Amino acid sequence: MNRRSFLTAAAAGLVTQAAGPLTSPARASASRALKGDPFTLGVASGDPSTGGFVLWTRLATDPLGGDGRGGMPARDVDVDWQIATDERFRSVVRTGTATARAGAAHSVHVEVDGLEAGREYFYRFRSQGRLSPAGRTRTTPAVERPLRFAVAACAHYEHGYYTAYRRLAEDEPELVVFLGDYMYEYGPSGYTALAGRVRTHTPGKCRTLADYRLRHAQYKSDPDLQHAHATAPWLVAFDDHEIENNWAGLVSSTGAPGFARRRADAFRAYYENMPLRRASLQGAVLRVNRRVSWGPLARFHLLDTRQFRDDQACLDGVRAGCDDRLSAKRTLLGSGQWSWLESGLRGSDARWNLLGQQIMMTQRDYKVGPGREVNLDSWDGYAPERTRLLGSLAATSNPVVLTGDAHMHHLADLKTDFDDPDAPVIAKELIASSIASDGDGYRDRTWIAEAVAENPHISFIDQRRGYLMARLDRDELSVDYRTLDYISRRGARAKTAHRVTIPSSAQARA
Ligand SMILES: [Fe+2]
């Protein structure tokens, strides 16, 4: 059975059905039967290391049960888990039992270590006599090994079907980097795409822990999303919409009271629904800035550009004439994360250093013709810190910046001075379009030509939905900008609209 047939079979339940029960006995507390299948939200894995990864599931017999509890009783439930080296689970290498706590929305996070480096594993759960779908994951290599990875962001559930997640899975990445707006907080039609909506959010804007849990359950019920999670480990980081549009630190963009409480609840629900390590949830702080290495080849530096930032300058928005954005006192990363990043870049012995972060780093003038209007929510609103970061990247081995948020593919040169055509290029910024946000895409060639003319350091823009598929080895990073022509109906193919190949600096000099 090859990989694709494994996934097809797993999706159809054939692999798990053929494979006999897990060996670990159920505990007494789990003996009262649940009504229905508890694995309706699928399985996931994340944050791989040389010895392991995080395995995730969340039990919900009725995902949209109304109170965010997914139809589950107010008691803890035991969940057995199993890891094998083959998709039929004939060669099981690790088993255990975890407790899905009622207080954690019956989520399960199993942190596995001590496995073999650089290999594929299969995992599944069992609870109440039911088997979960099987997932595929992998440990990172200890030696230099090429990497195929995907980059994705922004998946508004109402705006379209998740065909892009399905196509991403079919491209068989070994790792998926997700850069924010995994879910959106708006109530039904609170944010509409041009073509309207193809399905409807759970009622109301997310405000309470129950609201966020319910919304996550709705998103996780999608079979295409479940398929993408079951294909490879993910590195996830949130942006704004997992909490609220354009929040900054402890400041709500709407000025509504009680934001600290809401943020803590949204963080908690996010953790409960993602394959993150337990250490990421630190009281009211959710720490997602972290590093993951792929042997000596690559190091991912995941950033958090929301939680520790100063409020947006000049009341946010896209506008001209905001001197505040040029204040060196303002920070996007916060001092703690800044020091962490600086020392991590300086100390990195990886050949490639990939920054995974949320918002557009390149300068972007939105005004056609004389004058300049910039998006104060992006790095343009924190320009001096960007200059300092580019200075650090200039001293780093093969830096590349990976970005979400824009809902359009972009390829840009990051420069010390964006207004100087002769200024050196420090790194490429690769911006992934959205999985679903803004609905069916299009190509407005006039608009693109104007945008590129206004911003000569940006060489490619595509307004269709999609994701990035990258191949990395010691000599080059090759990236396909994958696009889909529509998502208002199911079944669109993914095409490569553009390919960029970035040679390593050592290779470029050779
Ligand atoms: Fe978004």
Side-chain angles (χ1 to χ4, degrees), residues 89-140:
F89 292 85
R90 287 187 175 134
S91 181
V92 171
V93 293
R94 197 68 71 82
T95 62
T97 301
T99 302
R101 300 198 184 283
H106 293 96
S107 60
V108 174
H109 297 77
V110 180
E111 294 185 35
V112 185
D113 204 1
L115 299 174
E116 216 178 295
R119 69 165 302 163
E120 192 172 75
Y121 288 96
F122 299 85
Y123 63 95
R124 60 184 180 180
F125 300 90
R126 188 188 69 173
S127 189
Q128 308 283 310
R130 301 262 191 163
L131 273 177
S132 77
R136 186 178 66 194
T137 188
R138 59 179 58 245
T139 51
T140 63

Side-chain angles (χ1 to χ4, degrees), residues 363 383-384 386-394 413-427 457:
Q363 177 176 288
R386 172 175 61 195
T387 305
R388 285 204 291 148
L389 175 55
L390 290 175
S392 298
L393 290 180
D413 288 337
L414 296 172
K415 305 170 67 163
T416 48
D417 182 352
F418 291 98
D419 299 323
D420 176 2
D422 298 324
V425 177
I426 307 292
H457 49 279

Side-chain angles (χ1 to χ4, degrees), residues 2-5 7-8 11 136 148 150 162-174 176 223-232 234 467 469 482 484 491-495:
N2 65 22
R3 287 175 170 186
R4 192 156 299 176
S5 60
L7 288 165
T8 309
R136 186 178 66 194
R148 285 172 55 80
Y162 286 166
T163 318
Y165 277 140
R166 171 81 42 180
R167 300 295 174 244
L168 178 155
E170 289 168 357
D171 284 346
E172 303 207 334
E174 295 165 295
V176 178
D224 294 328
L225 174 56
Q226 290 187 11
H227 188 59
H229 275 300
T231 295
W234 286 37
Y467 56 91
M469 262 309 298
R482 305 284 277 160
L484 286 74
R493 290 173 39 228
K495 298 181 288 196

